[in-house]
Amino acid sequence: RLTYEEAVEEAFGLFHWLLLAVCGWANASDAVEILCVSFLLPTARCDLLLSSSDMGLLTASIFLMMVGGYMWGYLADQRGRRKVLVVSLTVNGLFGGLASAAPWFWLFLLLRFISGIVGGSIPVIFSYFSEFMPRLRRGAMISALATFWMAGNILAALAWLVIPRTWARFSLGTLDFQSWRLFVVLCSVPSTSSAILFKLLMPESPKFLMEQALLPIKQMFSGSVKARSIVLLIIFYCIYYGLWMWFPELFARVESSGGSPCANVSVPSALNNQSCYPVKTAYMEGFIIAASNLPGNIFTILIMDSTGGKTLLACSLIVSSLSVFLIYVVQTKAQSLGLSCIFSGVSVIAWNALDVVGTELYPTQLSSALGFFTGVGRVAAIMGNVVFGKLVDSSCTVPILLVSALLLTGGLVALLLPQTRQTELT
């Protein structure tokens, strides 16, 4: 009679690559949902009459997936991974799409809020995926799954194919359905289609079917796992990826007068004096930054199993901290773009490493653990986006330097984690 680990080691083939494609598309949908807001801000801000504080609230709303992440993780332990993924991805796509028809800011914010708070199933995807993977291939395959975030990032960055186009504008009753609204609809497609793929093609997790047990969340902070839980808590809080959300807006401001993002943050508050027509170069720069994920993703896949997630996590966070600090220091637009690309390419290594480490530090039946820590990271993202929105019109010095300091702290604390390279799932 074979144990679970022995059974999954027996074969690796076409099914595992299909699983990677389906789970990867779902992971990409998370990136699209989060990043689409940042690309529509330069245009939607005058259509919905948004202040910088409003934009901070809007970018923060999507990170309410923190509640969904924990809730769906808990339900996945009880009801099954596949069922939870189908429901959460469906709701996420549905309300994300409905937001496109919202004529007022408060309604748009509410629908994005619901999409975020009911969505957030990404921790379940990684738990589900890892439970099918042979031990010796797990690190590389989870890293490959994490690279689909880059695919979603690039997909969202294709906003420049939709938002600047005048043909993508029509009247829907009394609503002026502009091109950025069409972009919101398109961004809901990955979540909805992922739900359909899971429903039609994917089986339930074998690990869940064998065990169907629940470990209380309080056990994360007791016994032998207490120390690693505290370390992960700090790391997830320090990894502020909300900075991505502000890149298009900062580059739009840079385009108006040149220089560095922090040298040109003062924008007139009279929104009626601004043109709603988007700045094309801001979208192109966003696409370039998204594409710069590729080297980091390839690097992670190639060396994850030999180096281990702990080392990659610590080193990439420290280098990311330096790149963010230099974004504040540089004086030209080209330098800002170059450092933003470096930050993009290096920080993705940290996320990929964290996805691997997070699935190996805890028993697989505790998928709510990864959801809990992801929630902590998104609490930090909410706080960061609100603060950034409050400060960006006066000075971006404080938020930029704070992000740099947090990333450095996370990198140093990551050195305290245990090495989990090629460990068995328990």
Side-chain angles (χ1 to χ4, degrees), residues 69-78 80-81 84 121-128 130-131 208 213-215 217 220 358-359 362-374:
Y70 178 78
M71 177 184 70
W72 291 122
Y74 176 83
L75 289 176
D77 295 336
Q78 302 254 335
R81 322 286 196 233
V84 159
S121 58
I122 296 307
V124 182
I125 291 175
F126 279 89
S127 296
Y128 173 83
S130 66
E131 291 169 3
F208 171 79
L214 174 66
L215 187 64
I217 197 74
M220 290 191 303
T359 58
Y362 297 96
T364 57
Q365 65 266 33
L366 190 59
S367 59
S368 54
L370 188 56
F372 171 79
F373 289 116
T374 301

Side-chain angles (χ1 to χ4, degrees), residues 78-92:
Q78 302 254 335
R79 304 294 183 182
R81 322 286 196 233
R82 175 177 167 272
K83 183 183 297 184
V84 159
L85 287 171
V86 171
V87 174
S88 62
L89 287 166
T90 299
V91 174
N92 184 252

Side-chain angles (χ1 to χ4, degrees), residues 347-422:
S347 63
V348 75
I349 298 176
W351 280 109
N352 293 353
L354 200 54
D355 289 333
V356 174
V357 171
T359 58
E360 294 179 338
L361 283 176
Y362 297 96
T364 57
Q365 65 266 33
L366 190 59
S367 59
S368 54
L370 188 56
F372 171 79
F373 289 116
T374 301
V376 170
R378 289 179 172 175
V379 168
I382 291 173
M383 295 173 62
N385 275 289
V386 172
V387 170
F388 214 116
K390 293 290 185 181
L391 296 178
V392 72
D393 283 339
S394 57
S395 172
C396 71
T397 300
V398 174
I400 288 288
L401 296 184
L402 181 60
V403 170
S404 178
L406 286 172
L407 290 170
L408 178 61
T409 301
L412 296 176
V413 170
L415 296 172
L416 301 176
L417 285 173
Q419 182 60 266
T420 60
R421 180 164 52 95
Q422 295 185 356

Side-chain angles (χ1 to χ4, degrees), residues 182-205:
L182 176 61
F183 178 65
V184 173
V185 174
L186 295 176
C187 286
S188 68
V189 172
S191 292
T192 307
S193 58
S194 294
I196 295 172
L197 290 173
F198 273 108
K199 180 69 174 179
L200 298 179
L201 300 178
M202 293 293 102
E204 183 53 84
S205 159

Side-chain angles (χ1 to χ4, degrees), residues 25 28-37 40 92-101 108 112 152 155-165 167-168 170 177-194:
W25 185 238
S29 74
D30 185 62
V32 171
E33 278 293 313
I34 289 177
L35 295 170
C36 78
V37 173
L40 60 85
N92 184 252
L94 176 63
F95 282 91
L98 287 175
S100 67
F108 186 82
R112 299 300 301 184
L155 195 62
L158 291 176
W160 62 275
L161 292 176
V162 179
I163 296 180
R165 311 306 171 190
W167 58 262
F170 55 91
F177 203 91
Q178 298 190 33
S179 56
W180 68 266
R181 295 182 181 274
L182 176 61
F183 178 65
V184 173
V185 174
L186 295 176
C187 286
S188 68
V189 172
S191 292
T192 307
S193 58
S194 294

Side-chain angles (χ1 to χ4, degrees), residues 49 78 119 150 154 169 239 285 340 372 386-387 421:
L49 302 179
Q78 302 254 335
M150 176 197 68
I154 292 175
R169 179 178 180 179
I239 300 185
E285 287 155 354
S340 299
F372 171 79
V386 172
V387 170
R421 180 164 52 95

